[in-house]
Amino acid sequence: GTLLNGLVLTAGSVLVIVHTLGIMEHEQEHDLSVDGMLYVAIGGILFKFIAVLTTRHGHDSNERLVNLHLMSDAFGWIALLVASAVLKFVDIQWLDPVLSILIAVYVLIGVIKNFYDSVIMVMEATPHGVCSLEVGENIKNMDGVEDLVKLRLWSLSEHVACGMVVVKSNLKNEQDIANLRSRIALLLQKNNIADFAIEID
């Protein structure tokens, strides 16, 4: 969902920039209804900012992109309001296209900032701020661990990291094995791995 939202925002912003540059290059004049622009802009601003307020506390990249999408729409309506107010008194044909480009650039910058996080999640990369080599060495050095058979750490979302640990142990006592499992679990939790599976052979 995050990737799709980002792609839609990127494609829309690029199309706006290309179309607007084409208008400016050929110096096409617009037959604008300034009063109509003004009234429509006021209505659009009211509705969009209500939507923005409901999504402004988003925590993951998808929620932030939805909020960015709504914000871009809101800024578009503000730009329309400003342009219509100015055009009511001064005939400045380039004002509307320039504002369109500025908004599109703002959206692209926001998409780029959030897009990276979504790609990391889709690729199931190691969670940010976690060194798998260091975690692996710490597990290997624990008493009772003969070998680290498997260590897999990945991001399920921006706030949920997962892990899978398989170790070979020389412990025979069930209580000792349970203690080893607890030590491994504590290590993973210290590295912000919230959801994990531990297998001890």
Side-chain angles (χ1 to χ4, degrees), residues 39-140:
Y39 299 140
V40 171
I42 292 172
I45 290 170
L46 290 175
F47 283 108
K48 282 299 175 181
F49 270 106
I50 290 173
V52 168
L53 289 174
T54 62
T55 60
R56 72 185 188 281
H57 296 303
H59 298 293
D60 62 33
S61 58
N62 195 36
E63 290 173 329
R64 288 198 298 268
L65 278 176
V66 169
N67 183 255
L68 178 64
H69 197 153
L70 293 171
M71 283 291 290
S72 67
D73 286 346
F75 282 136
W77 291 116
I78 292 174
L80 184 62
L81 178 64
V82 171
S84 60
V86 172
L87 290 172
K88 196 169 181 66
F89 302 101
V90 184
D91 185 17
I92 306 176
Q93 288 290 327
W94 52 262
L95 181 60
D96 183 51
V98 167
L99 288 174
S100 298
I101 290 176
L102 290 176
I103 293 168
V105 170
Y106 167 80
V107 172
L108 283 175
I109 292 172
V111 169
I112 291 170
K113 287 180 179 178
N114 289 280
F115 207 67
Y116 175 77
D117 292 332
S118 64
V119 171
I120 290 297
M121 284 183 287
V122 170
M123 299 298 292
E124 294 188 349
T126 302
H128 180 69
V130 178
C131 178
S132 58
L133 292 176
E134 182 179 341
V135 173
E137 284 300 316
N138 288 332
I139 294 175
K140 286 180 181 179

Side-chain angles (χ1 to χ4, degrees), residues 139 142-147 167-184 200-201:
I139 294 175
M142 288 183 178
D143 293 334
V145 175
E146 280 190 354
D147 188 27
V167 298
K168 185 177 180 181
S169 174
N170 54 15
L171 300 173
K172 303 299 182 184
N173 185 282
E174 290 187 5
Q175 183 61 47
D176 292 337
I177 293 174
N179 288 336
L180 175 59
R181 189 185 305 276
S182 297
R183 281 182 279 140
I184 295 173
I200 300 177
D201 294 330

